[in-house]
Amino acid sequence: MRRIAIVGAGQGGLHLALGLNGRGYEVTVHAARRPDEVRAGSILSTQVMYGPALALERAAGLNLWEAGTPRLGALRTTAADTAVTAPFDEPAQSVDQRVKTARWLELFEERGGRVEYGTVGPEQLERIAGAHDLTVVATGRGPLSELFGRDERHSPYDGPRRTLVAVYVHGMRSPSDAPGPQLRVSPAEGHGEFFAFDGTSFDGPCGMLMWEAVPGGPLDRWQDLPGGPDAVVERSLELLRTHAPWEYELCAGAEPTDAGAALVGAVTPVVRHPVAQVAPGRHVLGMADTVVVNDPMTGQGANSAARCADGYLRAILAHGDAPFDRTWMLRTFAAFWEHARHAVAFTNLLLAGPLPEHVRRVLVAATAHPEVAHRYANGFADPVRFQDWLLDEDRADAYLAAVTGRQVTDA
């Protein structure tokens, strides 16, 4: 029986562990916290899972909350007096990661998987790798991720591009003209973005609010906060009253869902090399946000983690009894990177300041042409779709000219 260790118990690591469980592998998950500790902690993200990633969870039997979670049917973008709504081809959903990962961890143990609790440092990783046929590192935080060297070719930023703030609430309303739950975004030109959408937490449906504030700008008013979700809600309402009054009206009655319902932080987007040597001739493979970290603006993190888990699972099963050597690790990551590179390019494009002119032209055209809005909105579900237009200025302008019947300078 082949022995596999997975260090990290988040979206990607647990998806992979549960996939390997019962398929003839002896799998050990190294988790920093027990399920009850995860549930009692602060929120981890505001993940939005789009249709293709939800399908991967569904195929793996991990869609435990699908029936009771609001279905986000469209992307609604509002700026000043203009609102553009574009339907998703498949609905998106968001489940509190505390709920999801705690239950998946329990499920793994219920199915006979082994979990070792406690923090794993670089010194322990060498021992773990020596005791297993394959060791996968699935944690994007802390010193373990630093073992994987930065890939300068795909890492244009050396610091965070946004201050990130999230809070889960009860009492958020939907726009009166919305046919159902939507992913709502209110961009503030040059200053950041505000997101609002429905999801599921401990006691059922809730609202999820997220700020992406350009550091030093008027939305970046979080450093003096005394802490706690009540303060985050209060400050959010202050900012919404000034910068997005249409959202203030919908969120004015919001209250935090629980004592851990807020998160304030920042992320540096980075791509790391996928394989780390922990001892002479002994390597470990990085997965998901251990090696590919995107800013949450485009909602790619959890979706990429699901794709990575599915790809790594198929590669492991197909490899049979052959050694999991460095060449296999590089090849396995390369297959994942074929998709992930588009998510990275898309996210980094939107993080650029100021917004590239051809992207601005696309967003302007979307206000008048539903087909442009639809194509843009559904690229979030699979950023590979952007390679033929949005990620290339000439192709984007050619597309806009074909849709509008005018040269892009007149759009």
Side-chain angles (χ1 to χ4, degrees), residues 146-164:
E146 297 172 6
L147 295 175
F148 300 85
R150 176 186 173 95
D151 188 338
E152 297 291 346
R153 299 170 300 170
H154 307 296
S155 305
Y157 304 124
D158 57 7
R161 301 292 292 178
R162 297 288 193 274
T163 298
L164 307 174

Side-chain angles (χ1 to χ4, degrees), residues 1-304:
M1 181 178 292
R2 310 206 76 182
R3 306 185 69 198
I4 295 179
I6 299 173
V7 182
Q11 174 79 39
L14 287 174
H15 189 152
L16 177 59
L18 285 158
L20 289 169
N21 186 261
R23 282 186 161 98
Y25 296 87
E26 182 183 324
V27 184
T28 299
V29 168
H30 291 264
R33 295 185 294 168
R34 296 180 179 277
D36 287 346
E37 293 175 310
V38 175
R39 292 188 177 99
S42 296
I43 61 174
L44 304 171
S45 69
T46 56
Q47 64 165 0
V48 174
M49 301 286 283
Y50 300 105
L54 289 175
L56 295 177
E57 290 190 349
R58 194 176 303 121
L62 300 178
N63 58 324
L64 308 182
W65 302 271
E66 185 170 10
T69 298
R71 297 158 63 90
L72 306 176
L75 174 67
R76 180 187 183 101
T77 304
T78 305
D81 296 326
T82 302
V84 179
T85 301
F88 291 133
D89 292 334
E90 301 174 87
Q93 293 185 313
S94 181
V95 178
D96 184 340
Q97 277 196 315
R98 296 174 299 176
V99 174
K100 176 186 280 189
T101 58
R103 181 64 192 120
W104 280 3
L105 194 53
E106 291 171 339
L107 187 63
F108 178 69
E109 291 190 275
E110 290 168 7
R111 293 178 177 177
R114 179 184 178 189
V115 181
E116 291 191 8
Y117 292 100
T119 302
V120 174
E123 61 281 358
Q124 288 86 31
L125 191 59
E126 179 182 348
R127 173 186 56 80
I128 293 169
H132 294 83
D133 298 294
L134 171 65
T135 296
V136 179
V137 178
T139 175
R141 300 179 178 88
L144 288 189
S145 62
E146 297 172 6
L147 295 175
F148 300 85
R150 176 186 173 95
D151 188 338
E152 297 291 346
R153 299 170 300 170
H154 307 296
S155 305
Y157 304 124
D158 57 7
R161 301 292 292 178
R162 297 288 193 274
T163 298
L164 307 174
V165 182
V167 63
Y168 294 0
V169 299
H170 291 310
M172 181 189 79
R173 297 187 294 110
S174 295
S176 59
D177 60 344
Q182 300 172 330
L183 171 56
R184 310 195 306 264
V185 56
S186 299
E189 181 70 26
H191 304 316
E193 301 80 21
F194 172 75
F195 297 83
F197 50 93
D198 295 281
T200 290
S201 189
F202 295 110
D203 54 358
C206 68
M208 298 181 174
L209 314 180
M210 183 177 77
W211 292 94
E212 289 255 347
V214 173
L219 302 184
D220 187 20
R221 293 184 52 208
W222 305 100
Q223 285 71 25
D224 66 330
L225 222 55
D230 288 310
V232 172
V233 170
E234 182 179 356
R235 181 61 53 83
S236 293
L237 293 177
E238 291 175 8
L239 291 171
L240 288 175
R241 191 193 298 270
T242 301
H243 299 281
W246 53 90
E247 282 291 346
Y248 174 80
E249 295 176 2
L250 301 175
C251 298
E255 296 180 351
T257 57
D258 62 272
L263 173 69
V264 179
V267 171
T268 298
V270 65
V271 176
R272 301 185 178 99
H273 296 291
V275 180
Q277 180 172 287
V278 295
R282 188 171 297 162
H283 298 86
V284 297
L285 172 64
M287 76 173 298
D289 62 358
T290 301
V291 287
V292 179
V293 181
N294 283 300
D295 186 282
M297 175 193 291
T298 58
Q300 296 304 309
N303 293 268
S304 289

